[in-house]
Amino acid sequence: IKMANKPFNQIEYQNEYNRQNYDRINLVVKKGKKDIIKEEAQKSGKKVNEYINNAIDEYIKKQNDKI
């Protein structure tokens, strides 16, 4: 049975999933720093988002270990 509504749109689906499951943070860095972060992420075999998230997680863990 075919549905009368519009066809499945993968991009809309992914955008809605991301809206429901993730928070967004707009990160501003000085000129040139973005390229440095990107290079370091690539060296460690990670995407930039994963690299930054790991760095934040490590920092938070270190701060909590001090308590």
Side-chain angles (χ1 to χ4, degrees), residues 12-53:
E12 283 181 20
Y13 175 83
Q14 288 173 324
N15 287 341
E16 183 60 28
Y17 177 87
N18 288 338
R19 269 192 292 280
Q20 291 178 10
N21 293 285
Y22 296 99
D23 289 326
R24 295 189 64 81
I25 297 174
N26 185 20
L27 179 65
V28 179
V29 295
K30 291 191 178 212
K31 279 277 194 208
K33 192 168 187 180
K34 177 181 166 186
D35 290 334
I36 294 168
I37 294 168
K38 191 174 180 179
E39 287 174 24
E40 293 300 318
Q42 287 174 340
K43 285 182 197 174
S44 64
K46 298 175 183 168
K47 302 235 182 234
V48 171
N49 191 62
E50 180 184 12
Y51 182 81
I52 291 171
N53 269 297

Side-chain angles (χ1 to χ4, degrees), residues 55-67:
I56 292 168
D57 291 344
E58 286 178 29
Y59 180 82
I60 290 170
K61 185 178 182 325
K62 282 183 186 177
Q63 294 305 306
N64 288 335
D65 288 345
K66 290 181 183 179
I67 299 172

